[in-house]
Amino acid sequence: MSETYRTDAIRGSAAAGGARRGPRSPAEARGTVRQVLSEQSRAQGATCAPDTLSDALLVASELTTNAMLHGGGVTDFDAEVVGENLYLSVSDRERRRPVVKSPLDRHGRYRCGGRGWPIVCRLARDVLVSDLPAGGKRVTAVIPLSAEWGHPVDRT
């Protein structure tokens, strides 16, 4: 949805050097997202469209993978439904911002990897990269939930 991202400083949240919260792997992040959306669906009597769930799981995987590969590991993870949006936040130890790399190396050969950040930016309504006070960064992706979200599930 969005091809750009913002960078801002924030206060609060987990510091990069502090205690880690939440999932340690992409699989655990996907499990957390499934749990949050499932609990919210039951609480609201609503449903999450399969495509929306797939998008949310892919973004969670990409953000945690990037934190592990390029950010020194996941230091914090949050998944929260606010209104009709899912907010996914992943913190790591590295202040450097994510970058889009050319799919080709300097010799014109296709490189392995480098597609995760464009996927996140494409699937999220908004992406915010924030510096953490004690070092590191927090990446928050806002995933719009489907038009069906918040509407009662037809159980007939």
Side-chain angles (χ1 to χ4, degrees):
M1 302 232 178
S2 172
E3 296 290 336
T4 61
Y5 63 95
R6 298 184 319 231
T7 58
D8 296 325
I10 63 168
R11 285 181 244 149
S13 193
R20 189 208 59 78
R21 294 184 338 157
R24 290 186 184 269
S25 70
E28 289 180 17
R30 290 190 302 271
T32 299
V33 169
R34 283 183 193 278
Q35 180 181 353
V36 166
L37 290 176
S38 176
E39 290 171 0
Q40 194 69 21
S41 291
R42 280 193 301 274
Q44 291 187 359
T47 185
C48 182
D51 288 346
T52 303
L53 177 60
S54 294
D55 290 352
L57 296 175
L58 181 54
V59 170
S61 289
E62 292 299 338
L63 290 178
T64 53
T65 298
N66 286 349
M68 292 168 64
L69 293 177
H70 310 292
V74 176
T75 58
D76 193 15
F77 181 92
D78 290 312
E80 180 182 14
V81 175
V82 178
E84 294 187 7
N85 296 301
L86 173 66
Y87 286 76
L88 294 176
S89 296
V90 178
S91 300
D92 63 39
R93 292 176 179 85
E94 180 61 56
R95 281 198 187 265
R96 285 182 296 155
R97 301 293 197 248
V99 295
V100 176
K101 291 186 177 180
S102 169
L104 302 176
D105 68 12
R106 61 187 174 108
H107 301 291
R109 296 176 296 211
Y110 282 95
R111 42 172 110 238
C112 185
R115 291 161 187 81
W117 185 242
I119 289 171
V120 168
C121 292
R122 182 83 172 161
L123 295 178
R125 171 177 289 147
D126 198 14
V127 179
L128 176 66
V129 181
S130 306
D131 291 330
L132 296 173
K137 68 181 171 299
R138 181 175 184 88
V139 179
T140 301
V142 181
I143 309 299
L145 299 173
S146 73
E148 299 172 22
W149 188 262
H151 299 287
V153 176
D154 183 12
R155 302 199 191 275
T156 58

